[in-house]
Amino acid sequence: MTTATPLADAPATYEPGSSTTDANSIKTRPATLRMLGAELRLLLRDPVTTTFVVAFPIIAMLIIGGVFGTQPNEVFPVNPSHWYVASYFTTVIGATGLIMLPVHIASYRERGVLRRFAAAGFPRWSFALAQLVVGLITVAVAGALLLAVAAPVYGIPEVDDLGRVILAATLGAIAFIAIGVLLGTVLPTARSAQAVGLLLFFPSFLLGVGGPPPAVMGDALGTISEWLPLGLVTQAVREPWLGIGSANTALVVTAVLAIVGVLLAGRRTAL
């Protein structure tokens, strides 16, 4: 993790206790934008982001996507390569929420950066908002890169219901970004955040996204894979994308996860 902090962008004249609402709103907006700009710059320097959010899903997709051929069968109702391209898109969401953000935020807590944000005059909600925007940008960019790599190798599967796919991906991203913010504000150090994030990410990845399809799993593992948070997000994205189902239940649960996650993360960052 980089040791740089965005404190240099803090407005030196901001007074948290100011009684003038208009003055506060005028000063808060540039402060929040500066925090967002600083967070985006730090994101580009973070090797964890490059490895887990960009490189890992692409490499895993290239390896697994070609294992089962290209012909539908009794296990895969569609082209298996397309099944994994659609599935690995959500790996980006899981990596962002379970690895990138918790490590990033916990490193801030470990170094006392969050306390200095408050002392510099940043409103508490601005940090959570900055992480949400950064997380959404990360998911969009990393997802686009994954599809760009998949296109000449396996082809990008035709989207059957674009609106539902975008809705599911957005809700899933918000849910996992909120989980990442929550983990980062609870775990005491960057190392502990990385350990917990990896323990949560890889079972979710292997059972809910990048491993064998549920049809070939045992009953217990198949049930677990279908109800893991990342598995639900994957169902909500993959089924309308490939035209193999509506995934209504998965979409509703994903929306609930997003709402609950945002409330919990917001409450935590407001403490």
Side-chain angles (χ1 to χ4, degrees):
M1 297 292 297
T2 178
T3 58
T5 66
L7 290 175
D9 292 322
T13 60
Y14 180 74
E15 295 292 340
S18 173
S19 59
T20 305
T21 302
D22 290 341
N24 279 342
S25 63
I26 290 172
K27 294 175 182 178
T28 293
R29 283 194 294 270
T32 305
L33 291 174
R34 286 176 182 143
M35 176 181 282
L36 176 58
E39 288 293 289
L40 288 172
R41 287 195 298 273
L42 290 175
L43 180 67
L44 296 176
R45 306 172 194 167
D46 189 350
V48 173
T49 301
T50 303
T51 302
F52 281 96
V53 180
V54 178
F56 176 77
I58 290 175
I59 293 171
M61 181 267 299
L62 289 174
I63 294 172
I64 302 298
V67 169
F68 299 98
T70 59
Q71 296 302 316
N73 51 53
E74 65 277 4
V75 175
F76 293 96
V78 296
N79 180 336
S81 296
H82 287 176
W83 170 281
Y84 280 108
V85 169
S87 298
Y88 274 83
F89 184 85
T90 61
T91 303
V92 171
I93 294 174
T96 299
L98 296 179
I99 297 177
M100 184 192 88
L101 288 177
V103 173
H104 180 63
I105 296 171
S107 70
Y108 274 7
R109 293 183 66 238
E110 190 176 6
R111 302 197 306 269
V113 174
L114 297 184
R115 289 193 298 271
R116 282 179 275 167
F117 278 150
F122 287 103
R124 292 184 181 275
W125 55 263
S126 67
F127 180 77
L129 179 61
Q131 301 312 308
L132 174 62
V133 174
V134 167
L136 290 174
I137 291 173
T138 302
V139 169
V141 172
L145 289 173
L146 184 143
L147 294 180
V149 173
V153 181
Y154 301 122
I156 299 176
E158 183 179 351
V159 180
D160 184 73
D161 190 337
L162 180 61
R164 187 174 283 258
V165 170
I166 292 174
L167 176 62
T170 302
L171 289 173
I174 292 172
F176 272 85
I177 289 166
I179 291 171
V181 172
L182 185 62
L183 288 174
T185 55
V186 169
L187 297 169
T189 66
R191 286 194 175 190
S192 63
Q194 187 176 54
V196 171
L198 290 171
L199 285 174
L200 292 173
F201 174 76
F202 278 105
S204 299
F205 164 73
L206 292 172
L207 292 177
V209 183
V216 302
M217 296 182 185
D219 291 340
L221 286 179
T223 301
I224 292 172
S225 71
E226 291 177 357
W227 289 100
L228 284 170
L230 189 56
L232 288 164
V233 174
T234 302
Q235 292 174 50
V237 171
R238 181 176 59 207
E239 292 188 13
W241 186 338
L242 301 178
I244 57 176
S246 59
N248 288 329
T249 300
L251 182 61
V252 170
V253 177
T254 298
V256 172
L257 287 173
I259 293 170
V260 173
V262 167
L263 292 175
L264 292 176
R267 179 178 176 82
R268 180 66 188 173
T269 54
L271 293 177

